[in-house]
Amino acid sequence: MSDSAPDPEPRPSKTSSSNPISRLSAFFNRRHEPEDREDLKSVLVAAHARNVIDDESLSMIAGTLDMANKTVADIMVPRSKIDMLDIAKPLTEMLPIIIETGHSRFPIYETERDNIIGILLAKDLLLSIANPTLDLRPLIRPAVFIPETKRLNVLLHEFRGSRNHLAVVIDEHGGTAGLVTMEDVLEQIVGDIEDEYDEDAEQTIFQAGPDSWRVMALTEIPDFNDAFHTRLPNDDFDTVGGWLASELGHIPRRGDVAQLDGISITVVRADAKRALWLHVQRATPAEPDLEQS
């Protein structure tokens, strides 16, 4: 009597084939149980190779596994790049910053940037548009402070539980180290989440009109020279902001203007340490002399 043939490997049903989790569970049932995180990743890669899970599912599951090993310090926006608002400034000075950055939430500080007193939601300002002299303090919401060593999976759980979407990151000395949002955490799982305010991270020069541009002050000098056919020196400076500080003889302030090679460079946004955004305007060509000599 001949040996019976081995049972064929069961195939997932139509119902399970449309569900990545069900397909993955069926796949695990046919293989050994993973012993550690790296072993689990290997099994996931094998499942992907056999079309048990698609590219997006593999990326999300791998992102979730990696997130458990990351801390807030790995993904936070550093202190130097946080867009904050000074409570001492009038609303008329705050609005241009709010409009330009497009953020929905802003840390509010008093006296110095390390003294964050709360968070202001841009939508709450709609209540004060008709009254620019309105005191903004009642609109400020409590800020959430977290250590930079907090793990991302723990932070995500806390965000979900508290319904907060932003936290201020504190270093070991109690100073402001950075900022992290729920979107930053979720991007570790699903990849970049772009909205209408996101800009190309590589792009620092943006056309604003026929002969005008918005330029980030951190634009590298060779890139600026290529874009505007200028001859900024790059021996002593790496960025346009660095050159501008030297040209002006002081830390650039909003409204400062420099002229160079037929263009006008105006500081439209700056903080206490450096220029942030510039407006570049090409000079209008002189009208040709039509009179006969």
Side-chain angles (χ1 to χ4, degrees):
M1 184 174 182
S2 60
D3 295 337
S4 58
D7 293 335
E9 186 176 276
R11 296 183 179 181
S13 65
K14 290 184 178 180
T15 301
S16 65
S17 64
S18 61
N19 186 332
I21 301 301
S22 298
R23 298 182 65 186
L24 192 58
S25 298
F27 185 80
F28 279 141
N29 289 336
R30 299 193 300 269
R31 303 179 68 89
H32 72 280
E33 294 184 1
E35 297 180 358
D36 53 34
R37 184 175 284 106
E38 293 305 315
D39 193 17
L40 176 57
K41 286 184 178 181
S42 298
V43 175
L44 290 171
V45 171
H48 174 260
R50 297 185 58 180
N51 296 321
V52 176
I53 56 175
D54 57 21
D55 294 342
E56 184 175 352
S57 298
L58 174 63
S59 178
M60 291 178 62
I61 297 172
T64 303
L65 293 173
D66 290 337
M67 189 176 69
N69 286 330
K70 291 183 178 180
T71 65
V72 169
D74 294 322
I75 69 167
M76 68 181 183
V77 175
R79 180 182 184 276
S80 61
K81 293 186 177 181
I82 300 177
D83 293 313
M84 298 185 187
L85 298 177
D86 184 353
I87 189 60
K89 290 187 176 181
L91 178 59
T92 52
E93 292 187 26
M94 292 184 181
L95 285 178
I97 299 175
I98 294 171
I99 293 171
E100 181 179 342
T101 59
H103 300 318
S104 60
R105 295 170 174 80
F106 292 86
I108 302 294
Y109 70 92
E110 187 171 28
T111 308
E112 59 182 24
R113 289 171 64 87
D114 272 331
N115 184 31
I116 295 176
I117 61 175
I119 304 297
L120 181 65
L121 272 60
K123 68 177 183 179
D124 289 343
L125 287 179
L126 294 175
L127 303 174
S128 61
I129 294 298
N131 183 10
T133 62
L134 182 69
D135 183 12
L136 295 180
R137 288 182 183 271
L139 301 178
I140 298 176
R141 306 187 181 205
V144 175
F145 297 92
I146 60 173
E148 54 188 345
T149 55
K150 183 179 288 291
R151 293 193 176 277
L152 296 187
N153 57 338
V154 177
L155 177 59
L156 180 59
H157 178 74
E158 292 179 357
F159 271 151
R160 294 179 61 189
S162 65
R163 300 183 65 181
N164 285 315
H165 288 197
L166 180 150
V168 179
V169 185
I170 303 301
D171 62 24
E172 60 181 320
H173 304 293
T176 302
L179 191 74
V180 66
T181 67
M182 179 179 283
E183 180 177 312
D184 295 328
V185 180
L186 291 176
E187 284 183 341
Q188 303 304 305
I189 301 174
V190 301
D192 289 341
I193 302 173
E194 297 185 0
D195 59 34
E196 62 270 30
Y197 295 108
D198 286 339
E199 295 171 335
D200 185 348
E202 300 297 326
Q203 186 178 358
T204 60
I205 300 174
F206 307 89
Q207 187 89 35
D211 291 300
S212 63
W213 296 262
R214 285 191 307 119
V215 178
M216 296 177 70
L218 54 74
T219 300
E220 294 186 357
I221 288 178
D223 295 336
F224 187 91
N225 286 337
D226 289 343
F228 298 105
H229 307 292
T230 51
R231 296 183 296 275
L232 291 183
N234 61 354
D235 295 333
D236 299 321
F237 313 101
D238 296 323
T239 67
V240 179
W243 167 85
L244 186 60
S246 176
E247 184 75 6
L248 295 171
H250 60 259
I251 296 175
R253 297 184 291 266
R254 185 177 179 182
D256 285 342
V257 180
Q259 305 287 339
L260 174 76
D261 295 342
I263 64 172
S264 174
I265 305 174
T266 304
V267 179
V268 295
R269 190 165 164 228
D271 61 20
K273 297 181 179 179
R274 67 203 185 288
L276 299 174
W277 281 94
L278 312 172
H279 177 259
V280 176
Q281 180 78 42
R282 193 179 301 282
T284 303
E287 294 292 335
D289 186 359
L290 301 180
E291 295 182 2
Q292 297 288 336
S293 57

